[in-house]
Amino acid sequence: MELPPGWAALIDEYADHVGAERGLSANTVRAYRSDLTALAAQVDVAPDMVTLSRLRGWLAALGEAGAAPSSVQRRVACVRGFFAWAEAEGHLRDNPAARLKSPRRNRRLPRVLPAGVVDELLAAGADRAAAGADPLAVRDLALVELLYSSGLRVSEAVGLRLGDIDRERRSVVVVGKGDRQRTVPLGVPALRALDDWLGVRPAVSRPGSPDAVFLGARGGALDPRVARRVVHEATAAAGPGAEIGPHGLRHAFATHLIEGGADLRSVQEMLGHSSVATTQIYTHVTADRLRDTFRQAHPRA
């Protein structure tokens, strides 16, 4: 795609900036490139000719194309960061995006499985793991136990290395978004399930297999898509309405912690959120569930 003059070099320089200096992941940098390239094609003028009016026209076009509010918010954040950087670096005389506002995003509370349902699906997974000689069933149970016990993102779980498990401290060392490292505690059932899996892992590994904790059927590192399928199948087996993905287990982990009395800052650290504001959604989830319980149980609700 041929862009208006000045855009290509500026996008390249900004991508280098956010990747090297701000430490954003390769996936985020690619998304920024894509967003800025699409913006350049939409406004169809050089960067120093972009006005607030043109940016609002770009926003309107996104809305007409059916872009989700969350997607629009992400793109607005990218564009505002780009123009603020370009002005600060002296590439532009002013910042046309300084007064660009994102559309309001409707807060959608995540669906959370009750702790009893999670116990049931983990018990069912333990039965499957113990029923036969299939090492992958043992792996699947270890993965689900780990995700619920630690609240890891699925990418973090499949990225774990054998040396990341600290049995003495009952924890794992995780590299999360922005290459930020954190230590997350693990429960005894998760450690037991991991030990069971590591005991049969040699049956799956091959010469040249990576030192990843979780391996696929052919001995390579477990693909995140396979990990998501494992979680969906494990939770679906718990009964109608129970099926969730790995992020659903992450929600359950955080919500059950807060319901049990954990403080928000500790949950923030374990989840790897850069801001406590992101973690606060789980206080809303808990309050919402309390209101539902009150309405159902109190005679004068």
Side-chain angles (χ1 to χ4, degrees):
M1 178 189 299
E2 186 173 349
L3 301 180
W7 277 101
L10 214 54
I11 291 173
D12 285 343
E13 189 173 342
Y14 185 63
D16 290 341
H17 164 72
V18 296
E21 296 185 29
R22 290 178 51 191
L24 299 187
S25 69
N27 286 340
T28 302
V29 174
R30 279 195 294 271
Y32 277 22
R33 279 186 176 276
S34 176
D35 292 343
L36 293 171
T37 299
L39 170 69
Q42 174 70 29
V43 297
D44 199 26
V45 294
D48 59 359
M49 297 294 292
V50 176
T51 62
L52 179 60
S53 176
R54 287 183 182 273
L55 291 177
R56 285 172 173 165
W58 163 73
L59 270 182
L62 289 176
E64 291 172 2
S70 58
S71 174
V72 174
Q73 281 194 326
R74 177 183 60 79
R75 296 179 195 184
V76 169
C78 166
V79 167
R80 291 182 66 176
F82 169 76
F83 280 107
W85 165 84
E87 181 188 31
E89 293 293 313
H91 297 300
L92 301 176
R93 286 178 295 179
D94 56 22
N95 176 4
R99 293 189 291 124
L100 185 66
K101 295 182 178 180
S102 300
R104 287 186 176 272
R105 181 177 177 179
N106 293 328
R107 180 180 291 272
R108 187 174 63 180
L109 299 179
R111 182 170 67 92
V112 178
L113 293 183
V117 174
V118 177
D119 286 341
E120 289 175 9
L121 70 90
L122 291 172
D127 290 342
R128 288 193 298 274
D134 182 6
L136 295 185
V138 183
R139 178 204 66 187
D140 294 350
L141 173 63
L143 176 64
V144 177
E145 282 274 15
L146 172 75
L147 290 171
Y148 177 58
S149 179
S150 63
L152 298 189
R153 302 174 178 94
V154 68
S155 59
E156 295 170 343
V158 299
L160 285 177
R161 302 299 175 191
L162 295 172
D164 294 335
I165 303 173
D166 188 335
R167 286 173 180 77
E168 288 187 7
R169 297 183 179 179
R170 289 186 4 198
S171 63
V172 289
V173 177
V174 184
V175 178
K177 288 186 175 180
D179 290 330
R180 292 189 295 270
Q181 190 179 89
R182 69 187 191 276
T183 300
V184 182
L186 288 180
V188 172
L191 278 171
R192 188 183 302 121
L194 279 170
D195 283 339
D196 289 345
W197 155 239
L198 294 177
V200 298
R201 182 179 178 277
V204 179
S205 64
R206 302 285 184 272
S209 288
D211 67 342
V213 171
F214 295 105
L215 298 178
R218 298 182 179 180
L222 184 63
D223 190 293
R225 291 171 296 182
V226 176
R228 291 188 183 93
R229 186 174 72 240
V230 165
V231 176
H232 277 285
E233 290 176 353
T235 54
E243 181 179 351
I244 56 173
H247 215 67
L249 287 179
R250 181 170 161 87
H251 289 321
F253 161 84
T255 303
H256 297 164
L257 274 177
I258 291 175
E259 288 179 341
D263 67 274
L264 206 58
R265 287 288 184 183
S266 297
V267 177
Q268 175 196 354
E269 289 293 327
M270 286 184 275
L271 289 173
H273 287 159
S274 57
S275 169
V276 73
T278 309
T279 317
Q280 283 175 333
I281 187 173
Y282 297 106
T283 63
H284 295 293
V285 172
T286 301
D288 193 54
R289 292 177 67 177
L290 287 174
R291 281 193 293 271
D292 288 344
T293 301
F294 172 76
R295 292 191 188 104
Q296 292 173 13
H298 198 285
R300 297 181 69 83

